[in-house]
Amino acid sequence: MTEKSSQAIKEFLGEAEEILENLSADLMELGETMETGDANPDLLNSIFRGAHSLKGLSGMFGFVDIADLSHQLESVLDGLRLGKVNLDRVLIDTLFEALEILGRLVHGKGESSDYTIDVSPVVKNLEDMLKGKADQGRDDPFADLDIDRSVLDVLTEYEEHRLLENLKKGRSLYRVVASFQLATFDTDLAEVTELLKKDGEVISTLPSSDNCSEDAIAFQILVGSALGFEEIGALVARENLRVEKIGHKGKKPQAAAPAVPASRSTEQPAGKTGDATASMRSISRMVRVDIDKLDVLMNIVGELVIAKGTIGELSERLKHEGHTLGGELVKATRILERRLAELQKGVMEVRMVPISQLFDKMARVVRRMAGEVGKKISLEIRGAETELDKLITEDLSDPLLHIIRNAIDHGIEPPDIRLAAGKPEIGRIGLYAMQKGNHVVIEIHDDGRGIDGEKVRRKAIDRGLIDENAELSQEEIFELIFLPGFSTADKVSELSGRGVGMDVVKNNISALSGMVEISSRLGEGTTMVITLPITLAIIKALIIRVRDKEFAIPITSVMETLMIERPAVRTIEGREVIELRQSTLPLLRLSHLFNYPPVVDEGQNPFFVVVVGMAEKRLGLVVDELLGQQDVVIKPLGNVLSFVRGFAGAAELGNRKTILVLDVGSLMSESIRGEMSLNV
């Protein structure tokens, strides 16, 4: 693949993914109106335009499979718009199936432009939907309507359908005739149209010969509304506008609406100067940016941060050594630091995306999978506007998907069991996001059967993971679920099993420097809480020393630092703890964790404790020295060292020394089980 074609495909992917995301959200909304059958025409048109855009885009790039499926999808959606296809569950399911295949195709093109899958089954399903709705050959449905035949003759098929739909709903039909000045007719017409849409549907807008002057242009607007004649007249009251009610033949039509005060229509709307060039500009102010380009920018900023640290260190040294330029250099460094912080913040903000992009995908998953297992489940989403680093959002997708699948498959009970248990027939899954400081907390609730702690304990004993007499808290029992290969399911489910366990979920979240916690009540439901940093790019870190080696701890996880006298340390069940403000804080000696050889006076002198916390958990890390705070750029350890636990990556300090960055979430989880031992 040439560089040019690769760039072209990247552009295709960016635009296609955006279209699919919008289509997914619109289809979800359409599905919610399925019960009433009262689909919003604007929503239908939006979905239709999305399919049409995808067809054109894929055709332009030569992706025939996507274009063929999009074309058939567009045809069915057009049939839906025209009332030739019924809005029902079968249709919604088929549309979602087509959308999922389109998503797989688009994703596959990102891996290889030759990627394809057989789209013929879903294309055939879509074709069958259209064939099943042959023209019913009905009589003229507007024959009894007292409306000018010249108007009916120019209506499009879609407008005729919308006119018929309004009649079926028992709405009144109105003909609004309005004359506007040539200089402002576009904005004036848009204003009237928006007013009418508030309480009705604008079926068609046609030119009219009812001009009031030579420098004016007239339109007749066909409207369907539940409002009465007087109410519609009051809604759009303005000069040179009248409303006529369209009745049935043989009945006397209502009189025209009285003219309204001229003051309202002659006022020039603020800011609407009639600038013709304004309408030629794009409405959107957004620019789509390749994430790789942002990574390049972030790396440059990271190098500047390191360089700034070096310059700052040299400046301070010069100043203390009495060089005359030392003080000036320190001042210049501080200015550089402020500007660099602004640049860093700006680049970081560009990388942030609302988590709604991820939640919308989960909504589609819940809907589809609930149908597959014959359950009724509603999804409640809150905090979708919460922003997270784009790369974290991407990597969070698989763990979140697995948790949702578990909730659907193992958590929510079938409808008959829920009813027998006195629960609502429809199960509920809550997906909530919120920002807490420099972290984002994502909660996944379900009101299902909950986790049987005793069953988990028995499974762990059977597998030899814990001793039969071991006394574990409820929290420690739930932690067992994250052990490799552990499962409480009596049989492997094709839905949630798939060879992936909760240990993989936890490892994936740990790789993002996050942590996951479980709480559950038998018969009432389960809650999974994922805590993640907002970004992994550039962070402020506390540099500490253990023996002769330095490490970095993300400052976002540091609650406080303490100096502890040895007598303050107690031992509970073989673990060192201290009392900190009426609570017990477990300690973790990093020198023990890293298997450093003991020193003679270890534990006899006062020592430093770095209190780290994530979510509701706290842990005291025992270190030898606190060296200060510094901005660092975290680099991944790479695939070769991917098995190493307890480290989020490596970082380069200004003195060109490379140090390891501690993964606080992983350390806290592993230390609770007391299983961790690292060689550094």
Side-chain angles (χ1 to χ4, degrees), residues 142-148 245-253:
F142 310 119
D144 187 42
L145 206 59
D146 189 15
I147 185 172
D148 194 333
K245 183 169 184 179
I246 299 173
H248 293 274
K249 289 180 178 175
K251 294 182 180 179
K252 185 180 179 181

Side-chain angles (χ1 to χ4, degrees), residues 256-275:
V260 296
S263 58
R264 181 170 178 176
S265 63
T266 54
E267 286 179 357
Q268 186 72 20
K272 297 181 179 179
T273 58
D275 181 4

Side-chain angles (χ1 to χ4, degrees), residues 340-485:
L340 199 54
E342 293 171 1
L343 175 61
Q344 179 182 330
K345 184 183 176 189
V347 177
M348 293 291 303
E349 286 178 349
V350 174
R351 294 167 60 97
M352 305 298 278
V353 296
I355 205 167
S356 59
Q357 295 182 8
L358 183 57
F359 281 8
D360 288 344
K361 292 179 184 176
M362 296 303 130
R364 199 166 68 239
V365 168
V366 170
R367 188 194 170 284
R368 180 170 56 81
M369 291 187 175
E372 287 180 9
V373 296
K375 297 178 181 178
K376 295 182 178 179
I377 301 174
S378 67
L379 178 68
E380 182 184 22
I381 291 178
R382 295 182 198 161
E385 70 285 356
T386 306
E387 291 191 328
L388 199 58
D389 189 298
K390 169 73 174 174
L391 292 182
I392 294 180
T393 306
E394 292 290 327
D395 291 341
L396 181 62
S397 177
D398 287 344
L400 192 58
L401 180 62
H402 189 79
I403 292 172
I404 293 285
R405 279 175 172 159
N406 269 338
I408 297 172
D409 198 20
H410 303 310
I412 303 292
E413 310 93 329
D416 55 335
I417 295 179
R418 290 183 64 85
L419 289 173
K423 291 183 176 181
E425 182 183 17
I426 300 175
R428 182 182 60 79
I429 293 179
L431 199 51
Y432 312 141
M434 66 204 82
Q435 183 174 345
K436 287 188 176 179
N438 289 314
H439 289 87
V440 167
V441 178
I442 299 169
E443 296 182 1
I444 307 103
H445 299 270
D446 74 66
D447 67 346
R449 51 171 62 93
I451 299 173
D452 186 342
E454 183 54 31
K455 186 176 181 180
V456 173
R457 187 173 179 278
R458 285 200 307 271
K459 287 273 184 181
I461 293 172
D462 292 343
R463 291 173 57 87
L465 298 172
I466 59 172
D467 186 80
E468 188 166 2
N469 299 319
E471 294 185 4
L472 301 179
S473 66
Q474 191 79 341
E475 184 183 7
E476 289 170 326
I477 289 175
F478 290 149
E479 281 286 323
L480 296 171
I481 293 172
F482 292 116
L483 293 177

